[in-house]
Amino acid sequence: EPEVTQTPSHQVTQMGQEVILRCVPISNHLYFYWYRQILGQKVEFLVSFYNNEISEKSEIFDDQFSVERPDGSNFTLKIRSTKLEDSAMYFCASRSTGSVQFFGPGTRLTVL
Amino acid sequence: KNEVEQSPQNLTAQEGEFITINCSYSVGISALHWLQQHPGGGIVSLFMLSSGKKKHGRLIATINIQEKHSSLHITASHPRDSAVYICAVEKTSYDKVIFGPGTSLSVIP
């Protein structure tokens, strides 16, 4: 069964460092999303991406964040200068027309 | 006010019990999702509903659009059903998913 994959599963970084979280959506999917979940809180939307551009972003998704689909298969989330409060589980999701969103297993980001 | 609410927040059940988790929402939606999150953190989509009822194995999901309410039922619960169950909605098709706070279910043998 096709699945969304994410790498790494756990990323530890120092405050102020750049991180790139990688996702490989399901191959025929057209809509891509990033969500995050701070420990103990609910999952929050970050950004949606369609047709090679951002279709919507939340207030959380400030200038420190960017997304890219560099090669037609990977979908990346970059945080330019990490803060302590960026520590969270980051989920990628993808969907095709009319389908549910398929979620990746998540990347746990720890900022020290 | 949260757009998606769930009850109960926590639920403990004996193996074999029939379980109901409720979700209410305050916005117009195109679809409602039920998701499962295990302790490891991964999220699995269980159902997407826009009307009526869906069944998959021991899981049943219903939605009442007029009342802005959905329920997830688990029949003959089992310890492996222990997880956080999350209700989430989309306001429009292909929209982001807005998550509820989750219901933490623990099924005791």
Side-chain angles (χ1 to χ4, degrees), chain A residues 24-76:
Chain A
V24 179
I26 294 172
S27 63
N28 63 343
H29 285 188
L30 302 175
Y31 302 84
F32 312 108
Y33 309 83
W34 283 102
Y35 297 87
R36 80 170 186 193
Q37 185 178 34
I38 294 170
L39 187 64
Q41 297 185 21
K42 67 179 181 179
V43 179
E44 303 171 288
F45 167 75
L46 289 178
V47 65
S48 57
F49 192 87
Y50 170 72
N51 201 25
N52 284 319
E53 60 184 25
I54 290 173
S55 42
E56 186 178 357
K57 59 184 180 180
S58 72
E59 291 177 353
I60 304 166
F61 194 89
D62 61 21
D63 292 344
Q64 293 298 313
F65 291 88
S66 62
V67 289
E68 201 176 32
R69 190 157 155 80
D71 55 13
S73 62
N74 290 283
F75 179 50
T76 62

Side-chain angles (χ1 to χ4, degrees), chain B residues 3-35:
Chain B
E3 291 172 297
V4 183
E5 304 275 8
Q6 289 183 237
S7 63
Q9 185 178 348
N10 296 288
L11 180 57
T12 301
Q14 289 291 131
E15 183 174 355
E17 282 187 11
F18 180 85
I19 288 162
T20 296
I21 299 170
N22 294 300
C23 173
S24 60
Y25 52 92
S26 57
V27 295
I29 67 169
S30 64
L32 181 141
H33 300 257
W34 281 102
L35 308 144

Side-chain angles (χ1 to χ4, degrees), chain A residues 31 33 35 37 41-45 48 55-56 58 89 91 95-106 108, chain B residues 2-4 33 35 37 39-45 47-48 86 90 92-102:
Chain A
Y31 302 84
Y33 309 83
Y35 297 87
Q37 185 178 34
Q41 297 185 21
K42 67 179 181 179
V43 179
E44 303 171 288
F45 167 75
S48 57
S55 42
E56 186 178 357
S58 72
M89 192 82 156
F91 293 100
R95 74 192 307 174
S96 65
T97 305
S99 81
V100 296
Q101 288 192 22
F102 288 80
F103 289 87
R108 185 170 300 282
Chain B
N2 291 327
E3 291 172 297
V4 183
H33 300 257
L35 308 144
Q37 185 173 33
I43 294 175
V44 175
S45 287
F47 296 102
M48 183 171 77
I86 303 171
E90 292 177 41
T92 59
S93 297
Y94 314 121
D95 197 4
K96 64 183 180 291
V97 174
I98 302 169
F99 287 76

